[in-house]
Every structure is written in C-alpha cells, then in structure tokens.
Amino acid sequence: MAEKAANTVETKTAKAAETSKGLGIDDMAVFCKKKGFVFPSSEIYGGMAGFFDYGPLGTEMKNNLKQEWWRFHVQSRQDVLGIDGSIICNPKVWVASGHAEKFGDVLVEDLKTHERFRADVLIEEALRIHADGLSPEDLGKLIKENNVKSPKGNELSNPRQFNLMFTTNVGPVQSENSKAYLRAETAQIIFSEFKNVYETGRIKLPFGIAQMGRAFRNEIAPRHFLFRCREFEQMEIEYFVHPDKKDDCMFIEEVIEDKMNILSVDMQTKGQEEKNISVKQALDKKIIQSPWHAYWLAKELQWFARYGANPDNLRIRQHGKDELAHYSTDCWDLEYRFPWGWKELEGIADRSDFDLQQHIKHSKKDLSIYDEETKKKVVPHVVAEPSLGVDRSFLVFMFDAYDDDKERGNIVLRLHPKFAPYKAAVLPLVNKLESKARAVYDSIKEEMTCYYDKSGSIGRRYARQDEIGTPYCITIDFETLDNEEITIRDRDTTAQTRVKISDLKETMRKLINDEIKFSEL
Ligand code: GAP
C-alpha cells in the first residue's frame, strides 16, 4: 500500500535492464546460493515462491546489517527507543489501521492459464508508465485501451482488489472469532504500544520508537529474488512530534550541507531527471517542505553511504498525490538503482496523527500526552516514518560490493568490514605451521568472526575469502615462528603488512571500526 508510484510519469529507468556491473538480479540469486548467503526456502520440496532462507554467510551479514542499523538509529541516540513486538496481535489493531480493509494490490488473471498477476506491474512492463496506486477501474481501462495481454499472450480478466494480509487462527477453536493476522508492517505495533513506551521511557517530544522484525504480505507475484517476498523483515521508526512544532527540527544543522539526488513531484511531472542538491537548497526552495522530513531522508542516506552503498545509486523521489497511502500526507521514497530500474528501498512518509487517532477511536483509550508548556493534552504527529526493508538493504550492499575483478581473476565482495560475515581468515602457509596458526586463530576468535582455512594454495584461499567478503587474511609463515609476526592481507588492495601477534587483536579492532586505514599500518 505504501509502495505507490506516480502514474503520470514515464518509467525511464524500467528500461535499464542491467546494473553498470552487468549483474542481474538472477545472477545475484545464483551467487548468493552458491556462496551460502541465501537459499530458496524448502528447495528439496520444490521451494515456495516468495520465501527464502538465509544461509550461514547471509545470516551473519544480515545480523551485522541489523545490528549496525540499530546502533545508528537507536543506541547512539537519546531520542529514539526500541521495542520488539509480537507478530500476531489483536486483529482490531489491523481494523483500526485500515489494513484489514484496504491493504491490497490489484490483481488480474490470465483467462486461459489462470495465473495471477499484479495489474499495475503488467501495465508498467507493457506501457512503460507507472501504474501503481491506480484503481481497478482505471487499470481495467488501460488494459482494454492498449490491448494488454498476459505474459503468455492471453486475454486478462477484469482487475480486482486483493488483500495482502495473511490470516491465521489463534486458539483451539477455529472460527471467524479466532481469526488473526500476521503483521504486514512492524509500524502498527509501535502505535499500539505508543502509550506504554511513552509512560515507561521517561522521554519527551520529539521522540521516535523503533522496531525491526518480520512482516508478512501475501504478494500476488513475488519476484526479483529478495526484493519482493512474502515474508521479509523491516526496520522502522515512527518519529513523533508536537502537532504545533512540526517545523522545529533541532538536528537539521547535522545534515544541512549533505547532498542528495532529489526527484520531486514537480520534476517528475516536467519529465526531469533527479538533481544533486543540498538539504539547505531543498528546504530553501521548498522542494522538501518539512525540515524533519529532510533530516530523516539525509540520515538514511548517511547510513547507507557509511556502510558502503554507492550514493550515485541512491535517490529520493517524492510520491504524487495519487500514489500516497491512505495514512500519508507526504511521502518520499529512498530509491536504489536496481538492475531493472530505480525501485523503492525505503519509504519515508509523513503519517500525521492518522494512526494514533485511529487507535484512539477504535480502542477508546486515551493515547494523547500532556504538554507541560500549554497545559493541554496533545496527540503527537508522525512527521517521518523511515521504513526500510532488511532484505532490500541486503541486496543493495551486495550489489554495490560485488566486483568481478578481471585482474585478480575472481570476484571480490567489497563489503564494509562491519557487514562482512567473517572479519578475518587465518591461513597457515603450509600444514607444518598449523599449531601456530591455531593459536593465532584462538587468540582472536572470541573478538570477531574468524575463518580458519588450511586447504589449497594460498592464492586459492585468498580468492575464496575475497569472494565472501572477508576484509583481512592473516597468514602464518615460517618467519612467524622466529619473530612472532604474521602477515595481514587487505582484501581491497591485496596489500600486505606484518604485525606482531601481540598487537593483532587491537589492530584488527581498529581496522574493523574504521579507526585506522590499512595503508597507515
Ligand atoms: N510502515 C510503512 C510500510 O510498511 P512499505 O513501503 O509498504 O511501508 C516499507 O514498506 C519497506 O519494506 C519497503 O520500502 C521495502 O524495503 C520493504 N518491503 C515492503 N514490501 C516488501 C516485500 N514484499 N518484500 C521485501 N521487502 C518489502
């Protein structure tokens, strides 16, 4: 529902079939499976569309990604508190939020094969226009007028609305009364816990509540690997402000000079490309209306850039009126240049007081808070809701890290050390050095994820680590026995330097935390 796109604008980028590296999404899926990052779920039984299992390396990397998101957005801020809510909750939550009634996409059926598709996606592919957010009637008209057919060339049914919420039954009696939903976004649990967090958190407006965890959507046509799944994870913040102080962003100076690739509604209507301008310019020219909105957009870009995403592959795009979700008054998507075009990576919506008001109405509980200054009760507004998919972020970092290094003759996965599944690999040059190498491995294994590999030529072992993103290889050679020094090899440059074993742990800590550069060793 939040993933809408302007129907007036030509999808220039849908034409872009490949990334600059020539790596398509299917190639990425093959790579992820081959190296143990991600597997299709239950593959031995033929798999299940829209479900994936993270393998040993993917699990490490995903955990690292989530941990760094949490550190940046929650632990390093005084104004954001975290929760970890349940996946199933009272179904009234979803009635109040509007999901039970309205959370859907428009479906069409191939009248011959009975395969089902998202009507907007078929139209986007056939006519090269954005169609997300259009009503079933408008989509039906476009299909008729342009004679759009199914991918197999057959007639299509009339489009109809399809609700994406997964349902289940809770308790031993299965009836309409025991029906419950799997959460379709983590956000609603934040809203339903708003008062508890406020009352126990000793916090004042403005403040945010963050959560990360699983969400479930019965997508009509899951596709593009991890991009559109039926089970995925989100990392979300609801940022609450006083309704009379929506423009008072005390952190704006932190980001005011940051530059971003911006594509406003106005620019889209004029058929313009995104422009690289500063937050200051965007606010001065009223391209972005709210300083809070600008602040969170810039912060999100900062987070991606800090961990190795290429800023040239990121832009922010404003939603047109017809693509805004029912709860949203303004929304900007952070988009990434995926191999098949610019696509939503994160939605950052102004949700106003829509959700809290809905929960006040449906629960009949007072969710307002007391404003000491005016001595009045107020219902806070969500001025920005950074809502990011873990799995889409995982793809972004993988795409931007992937480098088919022809000179080296192997793939180099240039992941940020913090995200790398293994921070180091310990490699004895020959088997005779095993006991020394084991001792080195044992001395650092508690501090960082570390791989031990004694098989194959040293070149082959370096290549294996390059391919899974290990930033540093630690080699033990005969000199190590004499001088207690090992060699550290840098994945990105292949440069090597010698370090005392007694300094290894500290050196590695500094390298991983970006406190020193390899060239400074
Ligand atoms: N609370 C607002 C919300 O859920 P959304 O745009 O529907 O907004 C937010 O979802 C983010 O969740 C998306 O930008 C995307 O990264 C991720 N996401 C949504 N649907 C997804 C799916 N089917 N598969 C993978 N990620 C998805």
Side-chain angles (χ1 to χ4, degrees):
M1 182 162 48
E3 278 194 74
K4 306 290 179 193
N7 62 12
T8 45
V9 183
E10 212 210 335
T11 53
K12 296 190 184 75
T13 50
K15 291 174 202 155
E18 301 278 281
T19 61
S20 52
K21 293 172 183 170
L23 187 76
I25 189 73
D26 293 340
D27 304 320
M28 180 53 83
V30 168
F31 175 77
C32 282
K33 184 176 171 208
K34 192 170 146 203
K35 293 290 162 196
F37 281 92
V38 184
F39 309 123
S41 171
S42 48
E43 202 184 11
I44 55 168
Y45 293 103
M48 193 148 184
F51 296 91
F52 292 92
D53 296 327
Y54 282 77
L57 297 185
T59 303
E60 289 297 334
M61 177 169 154
K62 186 163 77 143
N63 284 344
N64 294 340
L65 186 160
K66 285 162 57 182
Q67 194 181 319
E68 293 311 319
W69 185 90
W70 196 254
R71 208 189 302 283
F72 185 91
H73 292 87
V74 184
Q75 292 173 334
S76 66
R77 302 183 64 109
Q78 284 192 318
D79 60 333
V80 179
L81 299 173
I83 64 164
D84 183 9
S86 63
I87 282 168
I88 297 175
C89 60
N90 192 312
K92 287 179 187 163
V93 167
W94 303 105
V95 174
S97 69
H99 284 76
E101 192 198 344
K102 294 187 199 148
F103 190 68
D105 283 323
V106 180
L107 171 153
V108 277
E109 199 172 318
D110 178 320
L111 288 174
K112 209 163 178 189
T113 64
H114 302 293
E115 284 167 285
R116 293 172 169 198
F117 306 96
R118 265 178 70 166
D120 57 321
V121 173
L122 282 191
I123 287 173
E124 273 190 25
E125 285 173 357
L127 308 181
R128 302 259 184 247
I129 56 163
H130 276 303
D132 196 356
L134 291 186
S135 67
E137 293 71 35
D138 288 342
L139 290 166
K141 245 191 195 164
L142 281 171
I143 289 175
K144 260 210 184 93
E145 284 169 11
N146 296 284
N147 201 19
V148 177
K149 294 274 190 310
S150 79
K152 294 206 173 124
N154 301 319
E155 291 296 322
L156 291 165
S157 68
N158 283 332
R160 68 177 168 85
Q161 201 68 37
F162 176 78
N163 193 295
L164 301 184
M165 297 282 287
F166 275 107
T167 56
T168 185
N169 288 86
V170 175
V173 183
Q174 298 211 343
S175 69
E176 202 37 42
N177 290 339
S178 66
K179 183 173 141 184
Y181 299 99
L182 304 193
R183 68 184 182 200
E185 59 172 17
T186 62
Q188 289 310 316
I189 289 73
I190 296 179
F191 291 118
S192 57
E193 288 301 345
F194 170 76
K195 206 60 188 276
N196 281 334
V197 175
Y198 176 70
E199 284 177 354
T200 57
R202 304 193 66 242
I203 198 155
K204 284 199 169 88
L205 288 175
F207 69 87
I209 305 179
Q211 177 172 211
M212 53 189 185
R214 304 225 169 220
F216 301 83
R217 297 182 188 177
N218 193 8
E219 296 285 353
I220 296 166
R223 60 197 294 204
H224 292 131
F225 186 35
L226 298 173
F227 180 83
R228 192 175 302 289
C229 324
R230 289 178 166 140
E231 177 176 346
F232 55 98
E233 285 192 77
Q234 291 185 313
M235 307 185 279
E236 297 194 291
I237 300 175
E238 301 303 327
Y239 202 82
F240 298 96
V241 302
H242 192 293
D244 300 338
K245 297 179 186 167
K246 284 186 83 164
D247 288 335
D248 301 354
C249 175
M250 59 288 289
F251 307 127
I252 196 69
E253 287 306 320
E254 279 178 33
V255 298
I256 201 78
E257 300 302 338
D258 286 18
K259 289 208 155 181
M260 338 193 238
N261 298 322
I262 298 188
L263 189 61
S264 66
V265 165
D266 189 42
M267 290 159 75
Q268 292 170 66
T269 323
K270 290 180 182 151
Q272 294 171 347
E273 306 260 304
E274 60 276 357
K275 284 195 184 116
N276 189 258
I277 59 174
S278 70
V279 170
K280 185 169 183 339
Q281 286 169 305
L283 286 170
D284 287 350
K285 293 187 178 159
K286 302 242 175 296
I287 295 171
I288 301 176
Q289 301 292 327
S290 147
W292 275 115
H293 219 142
Y295 168 75
W296 278 108
L297 286 162
K299 280 312 257 191
E300 295 313 281
L301 284 164
Q302 275 185 7
W303 186 74
F304 273 100
R306 175 185 289 198
Y307 292 106
N310 178 354
D312 294 343
N313 289 335
L314 293 165
R315 73 175 186 191
I316 57 164
R317 188 186 68 80
Q318 189 177 24
H319 280 209
K321 280 225 157 41
D322 47 2
E323 54 179 327
L324 284 174
H326 66 273
Y327 51 73
S328 178
T329 53
D330 188 15
C331 183
W332 289 78
D333 281 346
L334 176 55
E335 294 187 331
Y336 177 73
R337 200 198 304 260
F338 281 100
W340 64 103
W342 288 102
K343 293 286 161 197
E344 177 185 336
L345 170 60
E346 173 166 20
I348 306 182
D350 180 336
R351 288 181 86 127
S352 69
D353 60 350
F354 174 85
D355 300 88
L356 286 182
Q357 293 291 8
Q358 283 296 106
H359 288 299
I360 289 169
K361 191 167 126 197
H362 285 257
S363 69
K364 303 197 171 42
K365 297 282 177 341
D366 180 8
L367 302 182
S368 63
I369 62 179
Y370 186 69
D371 176 23
E372 304 278 353
E373 245 175 62
T374 57
K375 313 273 181 243
K376 278 187 193 150
K377 282 182 165 182
V378 292
V379 176
H381 280 229
V382 168
V383 76
E385 180 208 40
S387 172
L388 176 61
V390 173
D391 313 81
R392 285 189 195 178
S393 314
F394 181 92
L395 278 180
V396 164
F397 290 112
M398 288 295 276
F399 271 118
D400 281 349
Y402 188 98
D403 178 12
D404 190 356
D405 190 325
K406 299 285 182 239
E407 229 168 87
R408 260 187 241 190
N410 59 263
I411 288 152
V412 183
L413 199 60
R414 299 177 188 276
L415 292 172
H416 190 285
K418 289 263 192 187
F419 282 13
Y422 293 107
K423 311 300 177 210
V426 174
L427 318 172
L429 201 60
V430 292
N431 282 349
K432 268 191 196 157
L433 297 163
E434 251 223 89
S435 73
K436 190 69 187 169
R438 280 273 170 207
V440 171
Y441 172 82
D442 287 344
S443 73
I444 55 172
K445 68 173 193 219
E446 304 274 327
E447 295 287 319
M448 66 200 79
T449 48
C450 190
Y451 194 89
Y452 184 84
D453 190 3
K454 60 172 183 165
S455 57
S457 72
I458 195 72
R460 186 65 214 119
R461 280 183 277 168
Y462 284 153
R464 270 204 291 263
Q465 296 306 318
D466 284 350
E467 287 179 354
I468 61 171
T470 309
Y472 305 108
C473 283
I474 297 163
T475 315
I476 285 79
D477 54 29
F478 284 106
E479 274 182 54
T480 310
L481 301 179
D482 296 333
N483 60 15
E484 289 290 303
E485 283 179 6
I486 47 78
T487 302
I488 306 182
R489 171 196 181 259
D490 178 39
R491 173 199 66 202
D492 290 342
T493 58
T494 73
Q496 302 194 359
T497 192
R498 288 190 75 84
V499 169
K500 285 262 174 235
I501 293 176
S502 53
D503 295 334
L504 179 61
K505 214 191 287 182
E506 183 58 7
T507 305
M508 287 297 296
R509 192 193 62 72
K510 285 185 178 160
L511 285 170
I512 293 163
N513 289 318
D514 270 342
E515 286 172 27
I516 42 164
K517 295 205 169 2
F518 190 84
S519 55
E520 290 162 6
L521 286 180

